[in-house]
Amino acid sequence: MTTLRVRPTRRRTDSATTPSAARRVATPDAGPDAGPATGSDELLAEWAPVLDAIGEGALQRELDGELPTEAVALLKAEGFGALRVPTAFGGRGLGLVDLTRLWIELAAVDANLPQAFRGHFALVEDRLWHHARSSDQRVWFDRFAAGEMAGNAWSEVGSSIDLPRTVLRPRADGSYRLDGTKYYTTGTIFAEWTDVHARLAVPGHPDEVEDPTAIALVDTRDPGVRTVDDWNGFGQKGTGSGTTTFDNVGVPAEHVLPFEDRFPYQTAFYQLNLLATLTGIARAALRDVVDAVQKRTRNFSHANAPRVRDDAQVLALVGEIAAAVYAAEAATLRVAGSIQAVADASLASADEIAALVEASEIESSTAQVVVSELVLRATSDLFDALGASATARPLALDRHWRNARTVASHNPRILKARVVGAHAVNGTPPPYAWSIGGTRRRQDWDDTRPRSGDAG
């Protein structure tokens, strides 16, 4: 097992770091005459030693099929999960643009980790939204600041889109009993809590299809919760996206939340995390191909120059990959800004919130279409700059494409392209809080614009 070592743990509000760490995370075009570091630059420099420690064992974890358990523990200890928590409650109070920059940097050293924390940051965002709307969430902020993490438990195999088999049943004392099985429970294997989407059984209700759904915030330390690492995808194998079962798990009433009260920009937010992960994967691919080209001594007889690093065609290809990284990052950060606009409007009118949500959904869908294409192409084309030796398993350069292909498959970009086109041509609103499952009945996605009552 890999042991991660970093300087003695300090609260991440301390800004001191070494100049070398600052250089390692500087943007590629930062030269000796660059101006003073921005807030984002200082943030990334501050986290550089942690990222370096995580990155040192990432390739070996990939080769060994080992979960990044110690890397997650290090991130928890360093306050990663509390980056969005207000400073008054022990967090860093980061905006979404800065958080996204850090997600990208983390994905560049281990693509599994931002996705492993995806459900956690969604729950943090939900609690921030409700806190801003006068519902005190300090108990959750205290948990996040103490290093506690939340996973995700929404998807099921075999259930219909609108009828989860995982069920919350009310108990006589006002609490609930949770039973069921969830798949792709990303991050839950590392977490103290998991965010569960379940059907809320209504006693005496004749038609369970019409039962409401709810969010249950479940303590994974309950003996009735069991998570196994059985995710068998060919990429993102260290995200902890296994199966979680709930057997007679008690859930306090205050931990059961109406689904319709969920923060309204969650779909765009979930996609933002995947965009950041894709961008970080592309950055890692660029790093590796640059390193390989610089070191490569073997060449082809019909190459354009004696040294690979001087070959115009190889340099052009590397330049195209660098441009893809640039464009992917720019698009991703633009989405982060549009989502931040919604987060900042928690006390606005319902119509204003709905308009901002729609704008962020279209931004995230548009970016998904183009970023997925850019990153998939870049992570495949890098092999054209190298020889067959680059396919050697110990190098694991294929992991970049496998990871990108897996992330891009979560929300098919062909469907998002249709959503963007329908909005551009006909003003059709995008789907909100969509889900996946069996299609027992038609889903009217084009009639899901948030109504004023939904946002308020």
Side-chain angles (χ1 to χ4, degrees):
M1 176 176 290
T2 303
T3 299
L4 300 182
R5 300 186 184 279
V6 72
R7 71 190 190 286
T9 301
R10 299 182 302 139
R11 292 188 63 83
R12 300 256 60 82
T13 50
D14 298 341
S15 59
T17 189
T18 64
S20 60
R23 285 196 297 272
R24 282 195 296 274
V25 296
T27 54
D29 58 348
D33 298 324
T38 66
S40 292
D41 291 335
E42 292 171 355
L43 173 73
L44 297 180
E46 177 188 333
W47 279 86
V50 177
L51 299 178
D52 286 348
I54 289 170
E56 286 173 3
L59 176 57
Q60 196 60 48
R61 288 193 296 271
E62 168 73 22
L63 295 173
D64 295 343
E66 179 184 326
L67 285 175
T69 304
E70 291 193 20
V72 171
L74 177 60
L75 289 168
K76 287 181 181 181
E78 294 288 330
F80 185 73
L83 287 171
R84 283 280 286 157
V85 172
T87 56
F89 299 99
R92 183 62 182 266
L94 282 191
L96 286 174
V97 173
D98 280 343
L99 176 64
T100 301
R101 288 185 188 277
L102 194 52
W103 281 348
I104 291 170
E105 294 293 337
L106 180 59
V109 297
D110 189 329
N112 297 290
L113 292 171
Q115 189 180 352
F117 276 87
R118 185 177 179 227
H120 171 82
F121 280 104
L123 180 58
V124 173
E125 204 67 24
D126 185 67
R127 298 299 84 198
L128 284 169
W129 177 261
H130 287 284
H131 187 80
R133 292 167 67 86
S134 301
S135 174
D136 193 340
Q137 298 298 319
R138 71 184 66 196
V139 64
W140 283 104
F141 294 157
D142 287 346
R143 289 167 177 153
F144 301 147
E148 294 188 9
M149 173 185 174
N152 182 269
W154 282 41
S155 297
E156 298 182 6
V157 171
S159 66
S160 68
I161 283 177
D162 46 11
L163 184 62
R165 291 182 175 179
T166 302
V167 182
L168 281 163
R169 293 183 175 86
R171 289 171 163 170
D173 64 359
S175 66
Y176 292 84
R177 167 181 172 167
L178 179 68
D179 296 278
T181 302
K182 292 288 188 178
Y183 300 87
Y184 318 125
T185 58
T186 303
T188 294
I189 201 168
F190 309 115
E192 290 75 25
W193 301 89
T194 190
D195 181 343
V196 185
H197 183 224
R199 178 168 59 86
L200 186 57
V202 179
H205 201 275
D207 187 0
E208 63 180 19
V209 173
E210 300 302 325
D211 282 346
T213 60
I215 301 298
L217 305 182
V218 179
D219 192 330
T220 61
R221 293 157 291 193
D222 186 291
V225 180
R226 179 173 179 265
T227 302
V228 295
D229 181 33
D230 59 352
W231 162 240
N232 62 358
F234 60 60
Q236 295 296 92
K237 294 188 286 186
T239 55
S241 298
T243 300
T244 300
T245 56
F246 304 94
D247 182 11
N248 191 23
V249 177
V251 184
E254 63 269 23
H255 288 180
V256 176
L257 315 171
F259 177 79
E260 57 270 19
D261 288 349
R262 190 76 168 183
F263 71 111
Y265 50 97
Q266 69 167 355
T267 307
F269 184 86
Y270 280 128
Q271 189 58 51
L272 174 64
N273 178 272
L274 297 183
L275 289 168
T277 301
L278 282 168
T279 301
I281 291 170
R283 181 173 289 176
L286 175 62
R287 174 197 66 215
D288 286 353
V289 75
V290 166
D291 182 64
V293 168
Q294 288 173 338
K295 294 177 179 177
R296 186 167 175 78
T297 57
R298 290 170 59 84
N299 206 349
F300 293 93
S301 61
H302 53 302
N304 299 292
R307 295 195 310 175
V308 176
R309 64 185 298 157
D310 297 325
D311 191 303
Q313 285 183 287
V314 171
L315 295 177
L317 188 143
V318 173
E320 289 176 357
I321 295 173
V325 174
Y326 177 89
E329 181 170 0
T332 298
L333 295 178
R334 173 166 167 161
V335 173
S338 72
I339 297 175
Q340 183 68 62
V342 192
D344 291 340
S346 57
L347 300 180
S349 70
D351 288 343
E352 289 175 306
I353 292 173
L356 290 168
V357 168
E358 181 166 307
S360 69
E361 293 288 353
I362 293 300
E363 290 257 8
S364 67
S365 297
T366 304
Q368 181 187 345
V369 174
V370 68
V371 170
S372 297
E373 176 64 27
L374 287 170
V375 177
L376 288 172
R377 186 190 311 152
T379 53
S380 177
D381 286 355
L382 71 87
F383 291 95
D384 290 329
L386 308 171
S389 58
T391 66
R393 178 61 184 141
L395 299 177
L397 290 177
D398 62 308
R399 76 188 186 278
H400 300 312
W401 182 88
R402 289 186 290 101
N403 289 337
R405 181 65 272 178
T406 302
V407 173
S409 298
H410 276 65
N411 310 326
R413 67 185 191 274
I414 61 169
L415 300 182
K416 289 304 179 73
R418 182 204 67 192
V419 167
V420 174
H423 186 271
V425 174
N426 299 316
T428 307
Y432 299 93
W434 52 269
S435 58
I436 187 170
T439 52
R440 294 188 307 127
R441 66 185 191 185
R442 182 172 178 271
Q443 300 299 306
D444 292 320
W445 69 273
D446 60 345
D447 191 31
T448 54
R449 184 191 298 270
R451 293 177 290 273
S452 58
D454 296 333

